[in-house]
């Protein structure tokens, strides 16, 4: 029996290692966040439907601020629509801690307010119950 309902939400946190920097300024490519969205979507499907489901599409992705190596990023997926087999999810990624290489190689700080870096809307599908 499906437990899928609008408002069901799952959150993950992940440290972004310096080995993932691809660009000057220790910037990390946007695909990294999309991968994290896939992970959190999988947990939503497991909790809602007892199945990993499949990611079908993104209808919108907005890269609002950069992600940097040394960041602690929090990603959340929330069900916004429930169909027979599909679930529409709203995603948000926020930086909650940021590395401070200007202070020292291992310095970091907790941000006073989480910084929205990416938001998206996507659809997952699950088997018929």
């Amino acid at each position: 029996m499906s437990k899928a309902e609008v408002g069901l939400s799952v959150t993950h946190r992940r440290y972004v290692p310096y080995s993932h920097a691809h660009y000057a300024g220790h910037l990390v490519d946007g695909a990294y966040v999309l991968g994290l969205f896939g992970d959190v979507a999988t947990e939503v499907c497991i909790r809602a439907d007892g199945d990993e489901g499949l990611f079908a599409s993104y209808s919108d992705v907005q890269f609002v601020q950069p992600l940097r190596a040394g960041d602690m990023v929090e990603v959340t997926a929330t069900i916004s629509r429930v169909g027979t087999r599909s679930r529409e999810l709203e995603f948000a990624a926020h930086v909650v801690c940021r590395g401070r290489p200007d202070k020292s190689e291992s310095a970091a700080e907790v941000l006073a307010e989480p910084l929205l870096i990416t938001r998206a809307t996507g659809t997952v599908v699950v088997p018929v119950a």
Side-chain angles (χ1 to χ4, degrees), residues 6 8 44 59 78-83 86-91 121-124:
V6 171
L8 175 68
V44 166
S59 58
T78 304
I79 296 176
S80 59
R81 185 188 58 75
V82 176
S86 65
R87 314 289 180 243
E88 184 174 273
L89 304 176
E90 297 295 326
F91 297 95
T121 303
T123 301
V124 294

Side-chain angles (χ1 to χ4, degrees), residues 44-92:
V44 166
C45 290
I46 292 168
R47 290 185 178 279
D49 296 286
D51 190 275
E52 291 182 357
L54 294 171
F55 211 116
S57 68
Y58 283 107
S59 58
D60 184 46
V61 177
Q62 298 174 24
F63 298 103
V64 181
Q65 295 283 328
L67 177 65
R68 292 188 167 87
D71 286 348
M72 180 68 66
V73 64
E74 180 179 270
V75 296
T76 300
T78 304
I79 296 176
S80 59
R81 185 188 58 75
V82 176
T84 304
R85 291 189 53 225
S86 65
R87 314 289 180 243
E88 184 174 273
L89 304 176
E90 297 295 326
F91 297 95

